[in-house]
Amino acid sequence: MTKAEKRPVLTDVALAAGVSVATASKALNGRNHVNKNTRQRVLDAAEKLKFSPNPFAQALNFPVTGTIGVLTADLSSRFVLPILMGVEEAFGAGSTSVIISDARKDLVRERFLLQTLIAKRVDGIIVLGDDANARPSLSEHVPVPVVYAYTPSVLATDCSFTPDNAMGATLAIDHLVARGRRKIAMINGEPRFEAAQERSSAAHAALQSHGLGFVSGEVLYGDWSESWGRQGVRALLNARLDFDGIFCGSDQIARGVVDALREEGRSVPHDVGVVGFDDWELFSTTSRPPLTTIDMNLEHMGRAVAGELAVAIAGVTRPGLHKLPVRLVPRESTAGLDGSLANREDAAGGPLKA
Amino acid sequence: MTKAEKRPVLTDVALAAGVSVATASKALNGRNHVNKNTRQRVLDAAEKLKFSPNPFAQALNFPVTGTIGVLTADLSSRFVLPILMGVEEAFGAGSTSVIISDARKDLVRERFLLQTLIAKRVDGIIVLGDDANARPSLSEHVPVPVVYAYTPSVLATDCSFTPDNAMGATLAIDHLVARGRRKIAMINGEPRFEAAQERSSAAHAALQSHGLGFVSGEVLYGDWSESWGRQGVRALLNARLDFDGIFCGSDQIARGVVDALREEGRSVPHDVGVVGFDDWELFSTTSRPPLTTIDMNLEHMGRAVAGELAVAIAGVTRPGLHKLPVRLVPRESTAGLDGSLANREDAAGGPLKA
DNA sequence: CTGAAAGCGCTAACAA
DNA sequence: TTGTTAGCGCTTTCAG
């Protein structure tokens, strides 16, 4: 690494262009009242010197600093990362810096990091959770706009974004029914998660709208694991239930489900159609067969949240819980008996991914 | 969110404490030559006003800015995230901000983001890759220290950190041999990855040191997928090879391997001991049985890299390729025939994780 | 259209 | 031990 020879400052540019710093500043910032030629001379000089303005000096003159903070509950979470990527994409390439701080599920640490972000004068904060259960608001303690992503704030006056779980469940059930399945069960994750509850109720409602109910009478709850997916299938089998479709609370569960079905000699999709949730490609595309599933569009959510924060920083707040649409990604686990994949209408506007 | 009422500045604190700004500054920064009582008065005032210094004003007076940039090749990579977490842990809680920019595997974008980071006056940059293949150096174009993580720079004069793949392979083979396996095969990933090559050669060397060789004569290469793991097992079986141990290039491959072995009626670990690589818990702990594997300690690498960058910023550069030790995590896939897990010596100092 | 001068919030000489 | 003063690099009145 080359030792930092002092960087050119505005004075150097002005000197090189033969104007005052004031004029140089105006020229560089596209202010009016600068002669076209003068401006060009300044621009050339800046170019030649590879001048770039010191953002700290600029920040000193403006109310906004050009940095935003992302406070994550758990950076390692499968849901956090895609959202972070969307945020980064929306901000990172521009003039806004994204500072990350990871609370590692520690509320004390979260408070501390929040204070640190504030001390660093971020213009706004994105609070990024890893489950759908509403969380305490932080906004009281914060002098800048806050937007909550994935995990909403309990306060309706805060601005939160979550995926539309109900829509996902409805899409899943409608898809199974459209594929001719009538005897449908649901193997869900942990009931203490609101996401699980929302998916259950919406699935139930969707079934009813088709004049159907769960073959098992009620939703099976377990944890979010493959292992539970396998157990769930065995439970259905042991109960001697006749079923031809299973909607799973997550792709991990779904993978366990298709593995168990295969091991028990049931063909997917021939005997049983399976729909997952999350479109976690690690599972959805490597499963045998690949999984039809619900894509929550998390990266898009990241961009939406970033946009909303930008708007909020500009002074326009749009409080409330914003549920973002999800889409169904059809794959082989619900293919028609002729092996055809689901048709376009099912895809809810999205292209096939795998 | 509460509208930002103007924040207190040093002048306010000074005023409240009845001293000059200079004294207030000294008191707050723990400089000498300040009366104990005076200092306390200032501290109290600052506390009461909830004063926190404007970091931009501070940065203007110092050569360092208190921000570092992390330039990732691909934020969504399984290897990048743990390292990033280590970096964040090392820096985030302190006074240094971590700005992330994700190049998304695009070299043009990488160059652009690099310029952006420089324009933002970061004190140093961590270049975070997602494979072990040496990459072009960026350091030429950068006026601040750069440390490369996971993916090393081609330049020996740069400072790079990678996991010690050879050590991992050696641990794996030694472990299999210690567990009584003598007929060992290796199912590796894509040969174009240096990580794959290093693991192969070290495994070969380790076998030789025990007077052994690969039962298959040579290493089997494929991609890094479960599906290839299954194929690899079938290839060994079709070749009617007698084997009792398999070292896999990744946990994903290993998972495919144990699945295929089970489906073919071979017991793991009874008939065949299997060792993976990566300790990607998503696979290593949910596999049936759970996988003995090599943990690359990526989060620790993140901390090490962060520390090294801090040192470099302070002016001490330690160029070269630093290979960080890895460790073996024993689980059931290589358990003794009595079901016992591997003993402590095998664990290379680390506790069991799952 | 251009430039001199003031000031953003803070730190550091230098006096007092 | 304290306060005065002069910047750090930039933007912005306000004269010229």
Side-chain angles (χ1 to χ4, degrees):
Chain A
M1 55 222 101
T2 51
K3 199 70 205 129
E5 58 269 4
K6 200 173 158 353
R7 304 197 194 200
V9 296
L10 190 55
T11 312
D12 301 324
V13 176
L15 215 63
V19 298
S20 73
V21 287
T23 305
S25 172
K26 287 172 204 155
L28 255 9
N29 293 305
R31 291 282 178 292
N32 310 326
H33 309 302
V34 178
N35 181 297
K36 231 176 168 204
N37 299 320
T38 314
R39 161 160 300 150
Q40 195 53 52
R41 234 170 339 119
V42 173
L43 256 26
D44 290 344
E47 171 82 8
K48 186 154 54 65
L49 294 174
K50 290 168 168 302
F51 167 80
S52 78
N54 184 324
F56 297 94
Q58 294 189 123
L60 218 40
N61 287 289
F62 285 106
V64 295
T65 62
T67 58
I68 66 114
V70 176
L71 188 53
T72 58
D74 179 9
L75 243 190
S76 65
S77 158
R78 177 257 181 289
F79 303 117
V80 165
L81 194 66
I83 303 177
L84 177 63
M85 289 181 68
V87 170
E88 196 278 333
E89 184 183 352
F91 278 129
S95 54
T96 304
S97 303
V98 178
I99 298 178
I100 53 161
S101 354
D102 183 20
R104 294 160 178 262
K105 295 198 175 271
D106 179 340
L107 286 183
V108 176
R109 192 179 155 90
E110 180 182 270
R111 257 327 211 294
F112 172 73
L113 290 175
L114 185 67
Q115 290 312 321
T116 308
L117 284 175
I118 295 172
K120 283 172 183 162
R121 301 295 203 270
V122 294
D123 294 329
I125 293 175
I126 291 172
V127 176
L128 204 41
D130 66 342
D131 66 52
N133 296 5
R135 55 153 295 145
S137 176
L138 287 173
S139 316
E140 297 286 332
H141 317 285
V142 179
V144 293
V146 179
V147 177
Y148 299 80
Y150 202 82
T151 297
S153 161
V154 288
L155 253 51
T157 49
D158 286 335
C159 176
S160 308
F161 286 77
T162 64
D164 192 335
N165 282 300
M167 175 179 173
T170 307
L171 285 174
I173 295 297
D174 287 355
H175 174 78
L176 280 169
V177 171
R179 290 273 143 293
R181 319 292 170 163
R182 293 294 178 271
K183 293 162 286 184
I184 297 172
M186 179 164 183
I187 301 182
N188 208 340
E190 295 177 51
R192 70 186 176 86
F193 287 91
E194 287 176 28
Q197 298 295 344
E198 291 170 7
R199 291 169 197 177
S200 286
S201 345
H204 184 67
L207 279 173
Q208 285 194 310
S209 78
H210 293 288
L212 302 170
F214 292 116
V215 280
S216 46
E218 51 192 21
V219 172
L220 276 59
Y221 287 102
D223 56 29
W224 301 100
S225 69
E226 282 181 60
S227 148
W228 158 239
R230 294 194 297 264
Q231 281 175 55
V233 164
R234 300 212 161 97
L236 291 176
L237 255 21
N238 289 340
R240 308 225 165 270
L241 282 172
D242 183 24
F243 59 94
D244 60 10
I246 302 182
F247 173 38
C248 304
S250 79
D251 285 348
Q252 267 186 98
I253 293 174
R255 164 133 192 199
V257 163
V258 301
D259 280 349
L261 286 171
R262 176 163 16 83
E263 285 164 16
E264 300 292 343
R266 305 281 181 123
S267 157
V268 175
H270 191 283
D271 301 327
V272 184
V274 176
V275 179
F277 208 109
D278 292 348
D279 196 18
W280 191 356
E281 300 199 3
L282 210 54
F283 292 99
S284 61
T285 68
T286 67
S287 164
R288 288 175 289 166
L291 298 171
T292 293
T293 185
I294 303 297
D295 179 356
M296 294 188 284
N297 256 163
L298 295 179
E299 200 161 333
H300 172 260
M301 175 184 288
R303 278 181 250 121
V305 168
E308 190 62 33
L309 185 64
V311 167
I313 290 172
V316 182
T317 72
R318 292 185 282 216
L321 176 56
H322 305 269
K323 296 201 178 188
L324 260 28
V326 301
R327 68 198 185 93
L328 184 136
V329 180
R331 293 204 187 86
E332 287 173 42
S333 68
T334 56
L337 298 190
D338 56 353
S340 68
L341 288 185
N343 49 33
R344 307 204 60 70
E345 291 91 310
D346 289 311
L352 248 145
K353 292 186 77 174
Chain B
M1 56 219 97
T2 51
K3 198 73 205 128
E5 59 270 6
K6 197 170 159 352
R7 303 194 194 205
V9 294
L10 191 54
T11 312
D12 301 325
V13 177
L15 215 64
V19 298
S20 73
V21 286
T23 305
S25 172
K26 287 174 206 155
L28 256 9
N29 294 304
R31 292 280 179 291
N32 311 323
H33 310 302
V34 177
N35 182 298
K36 230 173 167 207
N37 299 320
T38 313
R39 161 160 301 150
Q40 196 52 53
R41 233 172 337 121
V42 173
L43 257 25
D44 290 345
E47 171 82 8
K48 186 154 53 66
L49 295 174
K50 290 167 170 300
F51 167 80
S52 78
N54 184 324
F56 297 95
Q58 294 189 122
L60 218 39
N61 286 287
F62 286 106
V64 296
T65 62
T67 58
I68 66 114
V70 176
L71 188 53
T72 58
D74 179 10
L75 243 190
S76 65
S77 158
R78 178 258 180 284
F79 304 118
V80 166
L81 193 67
I83 303 177
L84 177 62
M85 289 181 67
V87 170
E88 195 279 333
E89 184 182 352
F91 279 128
S95 55
T96 304
S97 305
V98 178
I99 298 178
I100 53 160
S101 355
D102 184 19
R104 296 160 178 259
K105 296 200 177 270
D106 179 340
L107 287 183
V108 176
R109 192 180 155 89
E110 179 181 272
R111 256 330 210 293
F112 171 74
L113 290 174
L114 186 67
Q115 290 312 322
T116 308
L117 285 175
I118 295 172
K120 283 170 183 162
R121 300 296 203 270
V122 293
D123 295 329
I125 293 176
I126 292 172
V127 176
L128 204 40
D130 66 342
D131 66 53
N133 296 3
R135 54 153 296 146
S137 176
L138 287 173
S139 316
E140 297 285 332
H141 316 286
V142 179
V144 293
V146 179
V147 177
Y148 299 80
Y150 203 82
T151 297
S153 160
V154 288
L155 253 49
T157 50
D158 286 336
C159 177
S160 308
F161 286 77
T162 64
D164 191 335
N165 282 298
M167 175 179 174
T170 306
L171 285 174
I173 296 295
D174 287 355
H175 175 78
L176 281 169
V177 171
R179 290 274 144 290
R181 317 294 169 163
R182 293 294 178 271
K183 293 162 286 185
I184 297 173
M186 178 164 184
I187 301 181
N188 208 338
E190 296 178 49
R192 69 186 176 87
F193 286 90
E194 288 177 29
Q197 298 295 343
E198 290 170 6
R199 291 168 197 178
S200 286
S201 346
H204 185 68
L207 281 173
Q208 284 195 311
S209 79
H210 292 288
L212 302 170
F214 292 117
V215 280
S216 47
E218 52 193 20
V219 172
L220 276 60
Y221 288 102
D223 54 30
W224 301 101
S225 69
E226 281 183 61
S227 146
W228 158 239
R230 295 193 298 263
Q231 282 175 55
V233 164
R234 296 201 168 104
L236 291 175
L237 256 19
N238 290 339
R240 309 223 164 272
L241 283 171
D242 184 24
F243 59 93
D244 60 10
I246 301 182
F247 173 37
C248 304
S250 79
D251 285 348
Q252 267 186 99
I253 293 174
R255 164 131 194 202
V257 163
V258 302
D259 282 349
L261 286 170
R262 176 165 15 83
E263 285 164 17
E264 299 293 342
R266 304 280 181 122
S267 155
V268 175
H270 191 282
D271 301 326
V272 184
V274 175
V275 179
F277 208 108
D278 292 348
D279 197 17
W280 191 355
E281 300 197 4
L282 209 54
F283 291 99
S284 61
T285 67
T286 68
S287 164
R288 290 176 287 167
L291 298 170
T292 293
T293 185
I294 304 297
D295 179 354
M296 293 189 286
N297 257 161
L298 295 178
E299 199 161 333
H300 172 260
M301 175 184 288
R303 278 181 250 123
V305 168
E308 190 62 33
L309 185 65
V311 167
I313 290 171
V316 182
T317 73
R318 292 185 282 216
L321 176 57
H322 305 268
K323 296 200 177 189
L324 259 29
V326 300
R327 68 197 185 94
L328 185 138
V329 181
R331 293 204 186 85
E332 287 173 43
S333 68
T334 57
L337 298 189
D338 57 353
S340 68
L341 287 184
N343 50 33
R344 306 206 61 70
E345 292 91 309
D346 289 309
L352 249 144
K353 292 185 78 174

